Amino acid sequence: QVQLVESGGGLVQAGESLNLSCVASGGIFSINSMGWYRQAPGKQRELVATITRARSPFTTNYADSVKGRFTISRLSGKNTIYLQMNSLNPEDTAVYYCNADRVQRYNGTMYYNVWGQGTQVTVSS
């Protein structure tokens, strides 16, 4: 089974920073793209940032609301991504989910759209 495990969430004050991590495991040969999504109470899950390719140079994509504040990164050749979140504000409060798409295992099995369990980020004003 492919698993994604997020960590790094917590409670911070407005203007502070957090760094989220996501590690994918389960006999993985390659992952086409990974990303971060978030879901605030009463709202739909939304894209935060994605990163494609397994090795540098990577292609990144950000939601307009986080451009210039958040940075997604990936260890080249590794199944680990990070989300550096700076200048956090209360509107960033949500459960943040890690996502991996087109995950190929060494046995040839392909998984699509795999989700982690989520990590809570709360920003107080």
Side-chain angles (χ1 to χ4, degrees):
Q1 286 288 349
V2 173
Q3 280 191 316
L4 304 179
V5 179
E6 305 101 330
S7 61
L11 172 63
V12 297
Q13 293 189 333
E16 294 185 339
S17 300
L18 278 174
N19 189 31
L20 305 183
S21 301
C22 172
V23 179
S25 62
I28 296 171
F29 173 71
S30 68
I31 302 177
N32 182 62
S33 67
M34 298 184 74
W36 292 97
Y37 292 72
R38 68 186 181 186
Q39 187 166 18
K43 295 188 177 181
Q44 289 189 330
R45 190 173 297 187
E46 62 177 6
L47 178 146
V48 176
T50 60
I51 186 164
T52 58
R53 295 173 59 90
R55 297 181 183 276
S56 181
F58 302 112
T59 300
T60 58
N61 181 51
Y62 295 92
D64 288 343
S65 59
V66 306
K67 282 181 182 177
R69 299 188 299 123
F70 291 9
T71 301
I72 188 170
S73 59
R74 182 171 180 176
L75 293 178
S76 184
K78 301 293 184 182
N79 300 319
T80 301
I81 61 170
Y82 303 93
L83 184 68
Q84 177 65 41
M85 305 186 294
N86 298 329
S87 301
L88 284 162
N89 59 62
E91 289 70 37
D92 296 316
T93 295
V95 178
Y96 283 70
Y97 296 92
C98 180
N99 176 272
D101 194 31
R102 295 184 64 84
V103 182
Q104 187 171 16
R105 301 184 70 194
Y106 283 103
N107 65 6
T109 305
M110 184 74 79
Y111 290 77
Y112 299 90
N113 213 23
V114 181
W115 293 95
Q117 81 288 351
T119 185
Q120 177 70 47
V121 172
T122 303
V123 185
S124 63
S125 57

